[in-house]
Amino acid sequence: MQVMHSGDDMDTSDQRYRTSGRIARTIYSVVILAVIGYALYFFGRPYLVLEGVGHVVAPVQAVSLPYAANVRVVNVDPGQLVYPGALLATVDRPDRSAALRVIDGAMGDAAKDIEQARETLQVEQEIQTALKSRLDELTDALERTDQNPDAVDMLTRAAMQREYTQALDRWQTNQARLQRLPGLITVLEDNRERLRRQHADIRTSWENFQVLATEAGTVGVEVVREGASLQPGEPIVEILDQTQRFVRWELPQRLLRLPQAGEAVTVIAANTEVQGIVDRVLPLAQPNGDNQVTTNRLVDVSLGDSADELTLESSVTVRMRYF
């Protein structure tokens, strides 16, 4: 029969108490070792592994216009795959009416210049014969006075010489205009034709102008909204090159050393883990997607054939062992 003990009469040599004591000491030791191991892992990990956040990105082609525009319709959505010739958006130019007025005024001025040049050319052609005849008459008269100096006095000869000079000058001006005016009229007509083409282009393309993709790729997250007013050069959409995606890794503030080109890293996403290679370390100041400047070091990680396993513009974790 087994005797139960309690109070001061407890038998410390009882096997039950020895067993429970060993279990308690084992649990206590495991807890202490776990705390020490976690502390070593927590404080020692930064000296063994370099880890930071990265984003899967690709070369970006910003589609924009060199002039102000109002967005009428947006034909693509973020993440959509597009090909060369795909319709991205339809826009209007707000200065269409003003431009047409300017072109109309310039065309009117060009028409007046052409008409004036043609009239001048006609006049010069009509008086050409008379000017030549007058010049020939004065030339003959001067030649006769040269042969017979006593036929006229000095004042008369001076007057004849002056009149000859004026006739010669008018004749030379006439000939110069006859040579220059046809070419000038041609230039003026070409300029008017250019204005006509500009006028037609403004009327047809400055309203409902279609913006087309020039390269294949994926539409980025930043897409202009319908009804927006764009400044010259402001992006309508951004197209990412799917074939050249890579990871842009933001290094933490504290690190033992910078990664070196060619070092292997592990890229960890939500559902996959791929290997990458450090491609280059970017300068300390680098613009990010919001046109702001970050002071953290950025590293480009090449993914090789594993690039298709990561979603474009997703966030990942990049890990590299120091040793």
Side-chain angles (χ1 to χ4, degrees):
M1 179 177 178
Q2 193 172 15
V3 180
M4 302 296 293
H5 298 281
S6 63
D8 296 335
D9 297 328
M10 181 180 60
D11 185 1
T12 58
S13 64
D14 195 313
Q15 181 65 31
R16 291 177 302 162
Y17 293 101
R18 289 198 297 270
T19 301
S20 62
R22 285 196 300 271
I23 294 174
R25 287 191 296 272
T26 301
I27 294 174
Y28 179 76
S29 300
V30 170
V31 170
I32 294 299
L33 290 174
V35 171
I36 294 174
Y38 178 78
L40 291 174
Y41 173 81
F42 181 80
F43 292 104
R45 180 179 174 81
Y47 300 99
L48 298 175
V49 177
L50 178 60
E51 187 175 275
V53 177
H55 295 86
V56 182
V57 295
V60 177
Q61 178 204 11
V63 180
S64 62
L65 297 171
Y67 47 78
N70 295 329
V71 180
R72 179 186 289 264
V73 180
V74 177
N75 302 91
V76 293
D77 297 313
Q80 180 177 338
L81 186 62
V82 297
Y83 297 93
L87 178 60
L88 302 177
T90 304
V91 302
D92 298 332
R93 290 188 62 166
D95 54 346
R96 179 174 179 268
S97 298
L100 286 175
R101 287 194 298 270
V102 172
I103 295 295
D104 287 338
M107 289 175 61
D109 294 339
K112 291 179 181 179
D113 293 339
I114 292 173
E115 185 63 26
Q116 183 178 0
R118 286 175 176 172
E119 291 177 356
T120 303
L121 177 61
Q122 183 178 358
V123 170
E124 296 297 334
Q125 289 174 339
E126 291 176 351
I127 66 174
Q128 177 183 11
T129 302
L131 292 175
K132 184 64 169 64
S133 298
R134 180 57 179 166
L135 180 63
D136 291 342
E137 291 175 1
L138 293 172
T139 302
D140 292 340
L142 287 175
E143 289 178 352
R144 287 195 299 269
T145 58
D146 289 338
Q147 295 174 0
N148 188 9
D150 297 333
V152 294
D153 56 26
M154 296 296 296
L155 292 178
T156 302
R157 180 174 176 80
M160 292 175 60
Q161 184 66 46
R162 183 168 59 252
E163 190 174 355
Y164 169 81
T165 302
Q166 294 174 350
L168 177 62
D169 181 66
R170 186 66 186 89
W171 165 254
Q172 291 176 343
T173 301
N174 172 265
Q175 293 302 299
R177 288 179 177 178
L178 289 175
Q179 292 180 0
R180 180 176 61 86
L181 285 173
L184 176 60
I185 292 173
T186 300
V187 172
L188 293 175
E189 289 176 340
D190 291 343
N191 181 59
R192 184 174 62 176
E193 183 61 29
R194 179 181 58 83
L195 291 172
R196 286 176 177 171
R197 291 194 299 269
Q198 288 183 356
H199 190 275
D201 178 67
I202 291 172
R203 290 184 63 86
T204 57
S205 66
W206 284 32
E207 190 173 50
N208 291 324
F209 177 74
Q210 295 183 339
V211 181
L212 305 179
T214 58
E215 296 181 5
T218 301
V219 178
V221 296
E222 296 295 332
V223 178
V224 70
R225 58 180 176 82
E226 293 183 359
S229 296
L230 300 176
Q231 298 300 316
E234 186 175 353
I236 299 174
V237 298
E238 291 182 343
I239 298 181
L240 310 176
D241 187 351
Q242 285 268 25
T243 63
Q244 301 185 48
R245 71 180 73 178
F246 60 95
V247 172
R248 180 147 290 173
W249 176 20
E250 183 175 343
L251 300 181
Q253 294 287 347
R254 295 184 178 181
L255 67 165
L256 293 183
R257 64 172 177 83
L258 289 174
Q260 303 296 319
E263 285 192 281
V265 299
T266 302
V267 180
I268 304 170
N271 300 319
T272 187
E273 181 176 310
V274 301
Q275 300 301 312
I277 299 294
V278 174
D279 185 36
R280 59 172 181 159
V281 179
L282 299 179
L284 184 59
Q286 179 74 14
N288 59 23
D290 299 326
N291 294 324
Q292 298 175 346
V293 176
T294 175
T295 57
N296 284 11
R297 284 283 187 179
L298 298 177
V299 176
D300 285 348
V301 176
S302 174
L303 300 173
D305 296 335
S306 304
D308 294 337
E309 300 181 29
L310 301 177
T311 303
L312 195 60
E313 296 191 327
S314 63
S315 295
V316 296
T317 299
V318 184
R319 184 179 300 158
M320 185 194 77
R321 297 184 183 277
Y322 280 120
F323 308 103

